[in-house]
Amino acid sequence: MTADRMVDDTTAPVSVGVLGGDWRAHVTPWGAMRMWDAGGTLDWWVAADDRWHDPSREPTVRQARLDGTPVVETRLRIPGGDAVHRVYAVADGGGYTVVEIENDSPLPIAVAFDGMPLLSPRPPTDMPIAGIELPAGTVAYPIGHHATLVVAIAHGSPGTASLPAVLPTRQQVAHGWLAVCERASRLLVPDSATNAAVVAARCELLLAGPSAATRHPVDFLLDVGELVRMGTMAEPWIPEVSDAVTALASHRDDPLLAAAVDAAERVCLAAREARAVRDLALIRLRLLPGEPS
């Protein structure tokens, strides 16, 4: 898999964040960022040559992920081209979520943000915003033709005074996600679009976590099995794996039952839970009596 192709598969909010950190947000289909912890929403608007454009209301908005990873690109049509909004999170310096606005047009534009404190390499314009009603506290930045503005949200450093001079690029971030996803189960897929959809599902699993252990035990065990394959520690999952295995008794007709038991065994082996592995062998005989031994 190579991180160089945008895949237009984003019809629902996309989770963004970094592995090993708690900061999470959803990117809406029009590019707004909604923090999971009720920490606010970062909205954006674009002033182009003709008028102000509200991405949440524009029919020309298109969104895609970079090879299925949580590197999200939202394009807004403006005269002569697009305003391109990109979001991705990096772990450097305690974690940042980077927002790029590229002016892919021959005319200057301005972008306005509201809802979150931003770090930027230059201060926002002090000119009053005219021609649109925006919330108090909205900040705006001019962007020249074919230029890019980079701002960021600090995850755990509210006192950070400025944007770091060097951060990983979106291509580097995408390559990192692909490297993690490639540790998961091997699948033969018919085309690159399906491959990107698999990557997207795995990234969402890594960021959002598995299904509920007792409500959806088969899904939970399959999810945790993949998480462990992708490098998540197995030991903390053992109590919930036990609960999910117990709940499998009411899911005997599930066609993925055997795969779920296999996943539970894999997690227990990774956690070096020898007794649990032996117990699973007995549970397998009860749940799957016709399975070849």
Side-chain angles (χ1 to χ4, degrees):
M1 290 183 286
T2 58
D4 58 4
R5 194 174 61 84
M6 298 306 300
V7 179
D8 187 8
D9 63 351
T10 305
T11 57
V14 181
S15 298
V16 292
V18 294
L19 300 182
D22 295 330
W23 194 96
R24 297 286 188 273
H26 278 141
V27 181
T28 70
W30 58 91
M33 274 199 299
R34 293 175 176 166
M35 314 305 139
W36 284 19
D37 61 356
T41 298
L42 182 67
D43 279 312
W44 68 299
W45 300 265
V46 173
D49 186 57
D50 56 343
R51 59 181 174 85
W52 277 95
H53 296 254
D54 182 348
S56 69
R57 299 175 179 271
E58 295 287 342
T60 61
V61 168
R62 298 93 70 205
Q63 191 175 84
R65 312 180 207 208
L66 184 53
D67 277 340
T69 67
V71 178
V72 188
E73 179 180 282
T74 306
R75 285 183 169 266
L76 169 68
R77 181 70 65 189
I78 57 176
D82 287 324
V84 187
H85 176 289
R86 300 186 183 98
V87 177
Y88 53 94
V90 302
D92 300 53
Y96 297 90
T97 293
V98 180
V99 180
E100 299 178 1
I101 305 293
E102 178 187 353
N103 179 8
D104 188 16
S105 83
L107 299 170
I109 64 172
V111 60
F113 295 105
D114 173 69
M116 294 288 293
L118 295 174
L119 304 175
S120 69
R122 54 186 169 90
T125 180
D126 56 4
M127 295 183 62
I129 296 173
I132 187 174
E133 291 291 331
L134 295 178
T138 299
V139 295
Y141 297 85
I143 307 175
H145 64 283
H146 298 297
T148 300
L149 170 74
V150 178
V151 297
I153 300 169
H155 294 179
S157 307
T160 302
S162 61
L163 184 69
V166 179
L167 286 171
T169 66
R170 62 182 182 275
Q171 291 87 356
Q172 290 171 325
V173 171
H175 277 297
W177 281 103
L178 290 174
V180 173
C181 290
E182 284 173 351
R183 302 174 192 165
S185 300
R186 294 289 180 181
L187 299 176
L188 295 177
V189 296
D191 50 45
S192 58
T194 305
N195 185 70
V198 171
V199 171
R202 288 172 173 173
C203 291
E204 191 68 24
L205 174 61
L206 286 160
L207 288 169
S211 304
T214 53
R215 290 178 56 197
H216 306 287
V218 172
D219 292 344
F220 171 83
L221 292 171
L222 294 173
D223 286 348
V224 174
E226 291 304 295
L227 286 171
V228 171
R229 281 184 182 272
M230 290 187 285
T232 300
M233 291 183 62
E235 291 83 354
W237 292 110
I238 293 301
E240 287 182 90
V241 166
S242 176
D243 292 340
V245 169
T246 300
L248 288 179
S250 58
H251 294 264
R252 293 174 183 268
D253 295 332
D254 194 305
L256 294 176
L257 179 61
V261 176
D262 290 342
E265 182 179 32
R266 186 164 57 250
V267 174
C268 291
L269 285 169
R272 299 182 179 181
E273 292 282 348
R275 179 177 176 179
V277 173
R278 292 194 298 270
D279 291 344
L280 273 170
L282 298 175
I283 292 170
R284 182 188 295 273
L285 290 175
R286 292 201 304 269
L287 294 177
L288 302 160
E291 186 181 56
S293 58

